[in-house]
Structure formats: C-alpha cells, structure tokens
Amino acid sequence: MKTSLRKLIALVLSALMCLSLLSACTAPAGTADTEPAKESADAGEEGEKEAEAEPESELEPETVTMYLLGTKGDNFDEAYDKINEILKKKINTTVNVEWISWGEGNKYSLLFSGGEDFEMIFTASQWGNYETTVALGGFAELTEEMLQTYAPDVWEQWPADAWTQAKINGKIYMIPANYVEVNQDVVAIRGDLMKKYGYDDINSYDQLLEFYEDCMNDGVYGNSVGAGSIYWLMFEHLGMYAVGGTPCGGQMVLYNCKDPKDLSFTYVLDWEPFVEYCHKMKELADGGCWPNDVLNTTSERQDGLVSGRGATMVWNAGSCQMYANPTNAEHPDWEINLYNIMPECKYRATRYINGGVGFNAASKKLERALMVYNEFATNPEIQNLAQLGIEGVNWIDVGDGTYKSTGNDFGGGSYWGWRNMNIMLKTFYEDPTPVDEKVMALDKYFKENLYESHILDSFTFNPEAVATQVAAVDAVQSTYFDPLINGLVDDVDATIEEFKEALDYAGMQDILDELQRQIDEFAAANQ
Amino acid sequence: MNTKKKGFFYHLYKYRVFLLMLLPGVAYTLLFYYYPMTGIVLAFKKYTYAGGIWGSKWNGLTNFKFFFKSGQAWRVIRNTVLYNLLFICVGTVFQIAVAVFLTEIKSRTFRKVSQSFMFLPHFISWVIVGVMAFNIFSSDYGILNRLIEALGGNKIPFYTTPSAWPGILLFFNIWKGIGYGSVMYLAAIMGVDTEIYESAAIDGANVFQRIIHVTIPSIMPTVVILFLLSIGGIFRGNFDMFYNLVGSNGLLYGYTDVIDTLAFRALISSNDFGMSSAIGFMQSVMCFITVILANKLVSLYDRDYTLF
C-alpha cells in the first residue's frame, strides 16, 4: 500500500514536471503573441459599444499601449480610468499603461528587440535611452507634417528650442515635454556644525572645501558618499558644463557655457583645474572626509546627511528639500538648510529633452498615439489626473494655479514625458519651514539669473561613427576616473598620465575628432 | 539477412516508448541550446531593431575590435583563466575533502545537518553575498575591521587594497560552491563497492589508508570528468560574483577584472547587441578549443576518463 502510494506520487510528480517543462517551452512565445492581441480585441469590442453611445468621436476605436518608467501609484488605476473616459469621448481611444520599474532598465531595449507590441514609451536624452534607441532604429521619425496634423496643440504651444533639441541628424524622434527647470545642485549643510566651526553662511566653492577640511579635522565625514557630486560643482562654478552624449556621462569633455561664442571644448585630462581638483580631493580623502570604500557603497546621496554620518549632501534643491525637512523634524538641533555655493554664476535650465515620449517605429497606430500625446500634454484635466491623481482624493485646487496635497499623495504616477509648464499646477506651501522658504527663494533666484543660451546646450554627441572607440573608452575610464575624482589613488599625477595613455590607446582622439566634426556641423546648421 | 532489413523505422517503432521518454529532453536541448546558437550571426552584424537578427547588415569583424582596443584584453583574459583555474583546483580539493569526511562521519543526524548547512550558501544570490561582503570588509561598519580595532590593530582598507581580493573572491567562491559541488563526489563514493573497504579493513588498513588507497582512486574518473566539464567554462568569468563583490570600484580592477565585467562596462551604456555577441562568441570558441585540447590530453593518459 505504502509503495503503491509512493509510486503514484512519483508518477504524478514526474507528469507535473513534464508538463511544466512543456509549458515553459511554449509559454513565452504564446503569451507574447496572443495576449496583447486579445486585449486589444476586447478593448475593441468595448470601444464599439461605447462608440455607439458616444457619437462625439468619428474615429475607429483603438487601444494604445504606453510604457512608463517607475512604479504604479496607489490611485493610479482610478485616475487612468478617468483619463480613458475623456480619451474615449474625444478620440475614441483607450490607453493601456505598462511599467518598467527602475531596477529593470535592460528591459527597455528588450521591448524593441523582442518585437513587443506597444506604441509609446517614456524617453529622455541620455538617462532615458533616447540616443541609443534612435541609433538602433527603435523610434519612429516624427515629421513636422505629422506633428501638425495629429498633435496640433503640441506643435502650436511647444517652443522651437524643444524641437531643435530633439533632433538627431536633423530628424525628430521624440516629443519632448514642455518643461524646463533649473536643476542646479545646491548643498544641504548641517547648521549646528556650521556654528561649531564658525560659519554664518557658505557661499562659495572654496568655502565649501574649507568647511570640508573643518569636518575632516573634527572627525566628521564632510560628504559620506564621496566627491562624485562635488566634481560637478567644481566645473560648474568655473562656468563649464558637460558636452551631452560624450563618454563617461559627459564628464570628460566640457564646454564653456559662459560665452555663447565659444564653441571649443575642453578635454579634462589636459585641463589644469582638473589636476588641481584631483590633488585637493586626495588631500580630503586621505584626511577622512569620506570613507575609503565609497566606490563600493550602495548609499545614496542623502544617506550620510540623514543618518548623521555626513555633514552635507549635494543635489538639486528639490531633492535636498525632500530629505532636509524630515531630517530636521527628527533632529531639530541639526538645523539643516540649503546653500548655493555659486551665487555669482548664471544658471542653466534643463533641456526640454530631459523627458519626453518616443514612438515605436514598429507600431501601426502612430497617428493615434500622437493624438493621445496631444491630449495628455495639452488637456489640463488629463494633465492633472496623470500628475496629481484624483481631485478631492489626492489633491485640492487652492486657486491661483496652485494645489495642496490632501496628505494622500498620488505618488508614482510617471508623468514626466508630457509635462506642460503652461497648464501644470504648482505646489502651495501652507506652513513653510526655513528649508521650504530657501527653496522658493533659490528657485526664484535661479530663474532670474538664467544665462544666455549656448548653442552647445542643445547639442548631443552621436557616437555611432566611433562606436568601437566609445566602447573601448567606456571599458577603460572607470578604472581611473572614479578613483581619481574621489581622491583614492596613490599618486595623482602618475595616474592621470597612465589614464591619458590608456585613453589614447582606446581611441579617445578619434572620438574628439568626430566630436569636433559634429559640433562644426551642428553650429553651421543652427546659427 | 532479414535483421539487416529491419531498418530505421522498425527500430523507431520497437523503441517507441523509450524514444518518447527521450523526446522532452531532446526538445529542450534543441530549443534552448541549439536554436539560440543561430544568434551567433549577430557577432558579425551591425544590429538594428528594425533589421532584427537576420535583417541587420553585416559588418565583418568590427564588433570584436573594441575588446582589443581597450588595451586590457590580455589582462582580463589572464585574470579570467587564472581565477577559474584557482576556483576549479582549490574547489575540487575542498569538495572531495568534504565528501570524504561526510561519508566517514558515523552519526547520521550530524552528517545530514552539516551537509544541509554546507549546501545553504548555494541558494544565496550573489547580490546578497555582495552586500554581506561589504558588511564584513567595509572600513566603518565592517565586522572584520571592527574586530581588528577591538583587538587593538589597525583597520585594513580592503576596498582600496587590490591584492586582498584574489583571496576574498576565492573564499566566497569555495564557500558558496562547496555543498553543491560535493554532492557529485558523495554519489561517486556511495557507488564504490563496499567489499573493497571490507577487504582493506581485513588487510589492516586504517581510515586514512582506506581513503587514500580506495576512495580517491575509485572516484578519479568522476573527478576527471567534472574537471573537464569545468574547463569548458574557463574563459567565462562568473559575472554575478565579480560584479556583485567588486562593483564599479576601478581601484580593484587590476586584480579582479574579468572578460565579462569588462564587456559589461564597455557596452552597458550603448546597448550594442553586436559587440556583446562578439564577446560571447569569442569566449565560446576559446572554451571549445580548451575543452578539446584538455580532452585529448586526458585521453593520452587513460581513454576511460575522457568526455568523448
């Protein structure tokens, strides 16, 4: 009896294994093919029924799939149900949203290579795969005619700069959001430590470094996550900025944004301030201004300040505010506030292409997708639903183009692809903390002191022609660059020399030559 | 004469049940090992989404260039091979030792419990191991440095000391693989005829003599075959391990960079399918050659020990 039971169990188990094996063979192919088709068929039927009831739109019912980056917020489905009601009435379309969470960035390119059925996807220059996807032919080209016909309001309202920035080799492949902000990095600093070391204010790069030395001598980490963000402050306070699309996140090739006529670029390894900076950072690192394992840490920019291990954090005002407020509430004696260490400078607005939507070249519903974008970007009702959630549940309109949170934040509603400054509501501060006040003051100050735009602000390097060299440089650069800018190498000058040789071997000169060629071409086309 | 005529179809019918049982395995192998191999063509193509695997344009050997242009090709190949040899040799010794000890343990409970504990690390992902390592070796909160400090010593900055890493990587590799790896040897030892042990005992052999003269020679074929199988992956760095333990710490690359981590760094920002395939293809070819050579060498020694 016992053995026959065992036999039975063994039989059932092996049958199950075979089954699961077979299903594993067929499942991926099956689902990929049938599911979206089924969904759109379902939606299509629904659409037909509703279309009979709602004769306002003469268009065929259609479902448009849109991929967003991030994770779904709490009331997301309710808000999108409302959005779909509006879309149904106006353009007889249902939007089906899919997500790529921040952790699965590789999925982005797999959507294209795997032939996934979708119409629109969030994109952004550099950090949102815009250039790489265009290089692989993933995005459909958007002609002016198409934009005028299917996204007329967008075409009318969007500034010319937005389209210039979106162009790659003279063609547009994304609709950028109509949104620019000043994302200038500021420094959140512990007030109690400033008092202790005798500072009333910290308002220059040199003063910040002095403060770091004081922290170091006191046995406190100046910045517990290292000098990666201080490097940006270094060249920005000298009026330089990263050339978009160049290797190493642009950090190795800078242009002079103070002078719009200056179209030259600076290769940092030949730049005296870079060498000085590396020496200074070595001094700070050796003295213990940050832990010597920063290159391996998984800490984020705010972690040191929030936990009390570090005296500062460097990030844009909004992010500093997000962490400074709760930390102050928990430790009132820390008196953290935000400091602008480059008050004499002019500030840069972000580029329009810092967020936008790209359209799948393989999609057959491009026109409808453009119409959907037009609604998201220019219909205030949809704009608010997608950004803030449901009025009365998640937020309250308090007039004057501002809103107040109900405390039940919508959260996680990725809306950066179609933000429109003209119609977005602004945050209303009911009981501002000193940090909030500083943020508002800084925001105002930054916007009053924007610099005259530079032609290279809109330029993005296209690495296609030198792909081999770029890959080789990418393989080499992290061996030297991060240790150097965090002051962790034994001999700064020797390492820089070695770095230079390694980059030369990898073909850096070819990249710089190609960059010069593209800049000349770009300048000629845009002057 | 008639038996000769009973050809293919006769045998197909005669052994239908066995063949049917074979079918899932064959289907699995074809689908997941042979069919994807056609993707090798990508190594010689300039991949575009629109063209896909078959429609993209050929571009000769361009995809292979970046690896040699990086100037680090020799270094990463050397590291990959040396690390793998180290892991295979030291790992095998430890795994055999564990298997032998386990079989010699008399208490059944103790044997089962200790085996389970040794098996556990196999189920921990390298991501977790990476975090554990950071919490052991970091300078502020690392257990090891705390301990050294408490005992009055000076902290060791592990994450800026490249020469410490071969040892650390070896330790984690052994620790994680020992339970899983010893299972094969345990099985092989179980297969040894117990009569040999009995007669050895009668001849007056003690435990150590039994191990050295009976157990080890009996499992030698298994050892050689497993060794040959591991040699087949000698040009593949264990990306999960190296990336999660070392991360993007350039200071350690001299001692820790392997082919896979280099390729990852070079291609992660450009998403270049062609170049990634080129690296994978190159590794496969090198592994293939090594395995053929190693197998040939073994066959010179004893044909019974070879894979094919």
Side-chain angles (χ1 to χ4, degrees):
Chain A
M1 180 66 212
K2 211 176 174 187
T3 43
S4 64
L5 187 68
R6 272 198 192 162
K7 271 186 189 166
L8 189 70
I9 291 173
L11 202 67
V12 169
L13 277 180
S14 49
L16 274 178
M17 273 169 70
C18 285
L19 271 180
S20 61
L21 191 73
L22 287 175
S23 64
C25 295
T26 52
T31 42
D33 284 346
T34 52
E35 247 175 43
K38 195 174 140 245
E39 265 174 29
S40 54
D42 286 352
E45 277 168 33
E46 266 173 46
E48 274 161 37
K49 276 179 219 151
E50 277 181 39
E52 282 166 28
E54 301 278 354
E56 285 161 54
S57 169
E58 291 165 6
L59 294 160
E60 289 288 307
E62 201 78 84
T63 301
V64 165
T65 303
M66 168 161 75
Y67 270 89
L68 298 177
L69 301 191
T71 37
K72 204 155 127 170
D74 280 344
N75 292 107
F76 185 86
D77 290 330
E78 290 90 328
Y80 269 72
D81 283 346
K82 285 191 188 287
I83 291 177
N84 276 331
E85 269 173 37
I86 302 169
L87 290 176
K88 196 90 231 178
K89 260 187 214 163
K90 271 193 108 166
I91 53 174
N92 205 4
T93 308
T94 313
V95 170
N96 164 35
V97 178
E98 302 281 346
W99 294 89
I100 301 179
S101 75
W102 294 120
E104 40 180 27
N106 287 338
K107 210 172 145 188
Y108 200 99
S109 68
L110 291 177
L111 289 178
F112 291 93
S113 56
E116 195 73 21
D117 190 11
F118 70 100
E119 277 67 45
M120 332 162 60
I121 185 164
F122 174 84
T123 186
S125 173
Q126 303 196 35
W127 71 274
N129 303 319
Y130 180 53
E131 290 81 7
T132 47
T133 311
V134 171
L136 291 170
F139 287 143
E141 187 200 337
L142 308 172
T143 60
E144 286 188 17
E145 199 190 346
M146 276 158 73
L147 290 165
Q148 280 162 357
T149 321
Y150 299 107
D153 303 316
V154 167
W155 183 255
E156 199 176 297
Q157 291 181 28
W158 265 222
D161 267 356
W163 303 117
T164 315
Q165 289 174 9
K167 277 181 187 162
I168 292 184
N169 292 336
K171 291 175 182 165
I172 300 170
Y173 295 94
M174 82 188 268
I175 307 189
N178 179 21
Y179 186 83
V180 287
E181 58 197 322
V182 183
N183 256 340
Q184 179 60 49
D185 275 352
V186 297
V187 190
I189 308 180
R190 285 265 297 271
D192 57 337
L193 293 175
M194 280 174 63
K195 257 185 228 156
K196 189 174 167 192
Y197 310 144
Y199 293 86
D200 297 327
D201 190 12
I202 289 180
N203 58 18
S204 72
Y205 173 74
D206 294 329
Q207 220 178 357
L208 179 69
L209 293 188
E210 276 169 35
F211 177 75
Y212 279 149
E213 265 173 51
D214 290 325
C215 294
M216 178 179 97
N217 295 331
D218 192 28
V220 177
Y221 286 136
N223 191 331
S224 73
V225 291
S229 48
I230 303 168
Y231 176 65
W232 284 76
L233 291 177
M234 183 277 288
F235 64 71
E236 279 185 69
H237 98 279
L238 293 172
M240 307 293 277
Y241 204 76
V243 179
T246 54
C248 196
Q251 297 178 98
M252 287 199 301
V253 186
L254 309 174
Y255 68 100
N256 175 7
C257 46
K258 281 177 306 202
D259 182 3
K261 287 191 193 69
D262 186 357
L263 289 179
S264 68
F265 57 82
T266 305
Y267 175 41
V268 292
L269 293 187
D270 292 334
W271 192 44
E272 195 45 43
F274 177 76
V275 181
E276 267 170 43
Y277 167 86
C278 292
H279 278 285
K280 184 72 198 169
M281 289 306 122
K282 178 162 171 55
E283 235 172 78
L284 290 174
D286 286 348
C289 200
W290 41 83
N292 56 31
D293 50 24
V294 281
L295 294 181
N296 282 82
T297 181
T298 46
S299 301
E300 293 176 33
R301 290 175 180 224
Q302 72 277 5
D303 288 351
L305 185 76
V306 171
S307 68
R309 285 176 76 203
T312 65
M313 76 177 264
V314 182
W315 212 342
N316 60 55
S319 305
C320 285
Q321 174 191 29
M322 186 158 89
Y323 295 105
N325 271 333
T327 312
N328 275 337
E330 207 178 313
H331 307 277
D333 53 317
W334 287 4
E335 295 171 24
I336 299 168
N337 211 334
L338 276 44
Y339 299 86
N340 174 15
I341 65 141
M342 31 190 282
E344 75 291 349
C345 293
K346 297 283 185 189
Y347 307 97
R348 68 173 33 244
T350 50
R351 298 151 81 187
Y352 290 96
I353 52 173
N354 200 33
V357 171
F359 298 81
N360 185 359
S363 165
K364 292 187 181 60
K365 304 181 221 166
L366 182 58
E367 291 86 5
R368 191 61 69 91
L370 286 168
M371 291 159 85
V372 167
Y373 186 90
N374 194 53
E375 287 304 311
F376 270 82
T378 57
N379 183 335
E381 223 179 319
I382 298 185
Q383 178 101 168
N384 290 339
L385 277 165
Q387 185 201 346
L388 305 168
I390 299 161
E391 190 175 0
V393 178
N394 304 108
W395 59 282
I396 303 161
D397 193 336
V398 284
D400 249 357
T402 58
Y403 76 94
K404 197 170 80 177
S405 165
T406 56
N408 169 25
D409 276 344
F410 181 48
S414 165
Y415 57 91
W416 312 292
W418 53 78
R419 282 195 275 193
N420 181 354
M421 289 188 286
N422 306 339
I423 58 175
M424 272 172 80
L425 297 180
K426 292 188 178 60
T427 326
F428 173 77
Y429 291 105
E430 210 163 21
D431 184 16
T433 65
V435 173
D436 295 336
E437 276 165 10
K438 193 66 178 269
V439 170
M440 285 187 274
L442 282 172
D443 192 47
K444 193 159 165 271
Y445 184 77
F446 289 152
K447 282 185 178 148
E448 284 166 1
N449 290 286
L450 288 179
Y451 74 84
E452 200 185 329
S453 74
H454 190 290
I455 206 160
L456 291 181
D457 292 348
S458 305
F459 172 79
T460 307
F461 178 61
N462 176 3
E464 223 180 315
V466 283
T468 300
Q469 287 88 333
V470 168
V473 164
D474 274 342
V476 168
Q477 86 30 44
S478 54
T479 313
Y480 303 95
F481 189 77
D482 290 334
L484 267 174
I485 65 164
N486 284 292
L488 296 171
V489 297
D490 289 331
D491 183 339
V492 172
D493 293 317
T495 310
I496 291 181
E497 231 13 77
E498 213 179 299
F499 189 14
K500 245 192 228 172
E501 276 167 28
L503 284 178
D504 284 345
Y505 188 80
M508 192 66 191
Q509 197 52 49
D510 296 347
I511 298 176
L512 296 177
D513 292 345
E514 171 69 12
L515 176 64
Q516 187 64 58
R517 195 192 63 75
Q518 288 186 20
I519 288 180
D520 292 344
E521 204 179 273
F522 184 78
N526 289 287
Q527 234 149 16
Chain B
M1 198 196 120
N2 272 346
T3 45
K4 271 202 173 171
K5 283 224 163 170
K6 286 175 184 166
F8 181 67
F9 290 102
Y10 170 78
H11 287 112
L12 197 66
Y13 181 75
K14 188 177 172 195
Y15 297 119
R16 62 189 182 284
V17 178
F18 297 120
L19 287 171
L20 212 59
M21 284 162 78
L22 189 68
L23 194 64
V26 171
Y28 180 86
T29 315
L30 286 179
L31 206 61
F32 289 104
Y33 291 93
Y34 281 82
Y35 171 65
M37 244 194 260
T38 53
I40 281 177
V41 294
L42 264 188
F44 305 96
K45 288 187 163 198
K46 166 105 194 72
Y47 181 82
T48 57
Y49 289 133
I53 294 178
W54 304 111
S56 297
K57 283 203 188 81
W58 297 96
N59 71 347
L61 295 174
T62 319
N63 289 335
F64 294 84
K65 278 189 192 150
F66 87 96
F67 181 64
F68 299 98
K69 227 170 161 19
S70 71
Q72 324 215 356
W74 164 239
R75 186 178 86 181
V76 294
I77 292 177
R78 182 199 65 197
N79 282 355
T80 313
V81 172
L82 286 183
Y83 269 115
N84 277 323
L85 278 179
L86 191 68
F87 294 159
I88 294 169
C89 295
V90 183
T92 308
V93 170
F94 273 85
Q95 285 158 12
I96 294 174
V98 162
V100 169
F101 291 156
L102 281 174
T103 42
E104 295 297 335
I105 290 170
K106 292 282 178 293
S107 157
R108 199 182 137 83
T109 334
F110 183 75
R111 191 171 69 214
K112 288 285 164 203
V113 169
S114 51
Q115 196 187 352
S116 305
F117 270 102
M118 275 187 283
F119 213 102
L120 271 185
H122 172 73
F123 297 105
I124 303 177
S125 98
W126 279 112
V127 181
I128 311 282
V129 178
V131 177
M132 284 164 55
F134 187 73
N135 284 302
I136 295 173
F137 298 116
S138 91
S139 43
D140 285 344
Y141 297 114
I143 299 169
L144 202 55
N145 273 323
R146 279 289 173 97
L147 199 69
I148 292 174
E149 238 185 353
L151 296 174
N154 284 328
K155 284 183 179 177
I156 304 169
F158 288 101
Y159 284 96
T160 51
T161 314
S163 55
W165 283 84
I168 295 175
L169 290 163
L170 179 66
F171 169 79
F172 280 107
N173 190 281
I174 301 287
W175 169 77
K176 205 165 176 304
I178 198 160
Y180 190 79
S182 61
V183 169
M184 283 286 193
Y185 299 114
L186 263 179
I189 294 172
M190 294 300 167
V192 180
D193 193 345
T194 46
E195 279 176 22
I196 306 178
Y197 285 107
E198 281 161 20
S199 51
I202 292 168
D203 287 347
N206 64 23
V207 177
F208 297 103
Q209 285 168 324
R210 283 207 302 269
I211 291 172
I212 290 168
H213 297 292
V214 180
T215 314
I216 303 286
S218 316
I219 62 169
M220 221 42 206
T222 315
V223 175
V224 174
I225 283 176
L226 288 180
F227 179 78
L228 281 176
L229 284 175
S230 340
I231 289 283
I234 200 156
F235 285 100
R236 296 190 187 283
N238 183 348
F239 175 78
D240 288 351
M241 173 173 81
F242 286 97
Y243 185 69
N244 284 303
L245 287 173
V246 177
S248 38
N249 186 345
L251 290 171
L252 307 180
Y253 287 161
Y255 282 78
T256 63
D257 211 11
V258 292
I259 300 175
D260 303 73
T261 46
L262 177 101
F264 172 77
R265 281 206 310 283
L267 304 170
I268 186 64
S269 57
S270 62
N271 271 337
D272 195 307
F273 291 67
M275 292 192 202
S276 332
S277 314
I279 284 291
F281 179 56
M282 202 177 69
Q283 287 177 308
S284 301
V285 170
M286 292 196 295
C287 289
F288 179 70
I289 294 171
T290 332
V291 125
I292 296 286
L293 282 179
N295 195 58
K296 189 79 204 158
L297 282 177
V298 170
S299 77
L300 292 179
Y301 172 68
D302 187 341
R303 278 211 64 84
D304 291 343
Y305 288 0
T306 54
L307 284 176
F308 42 82

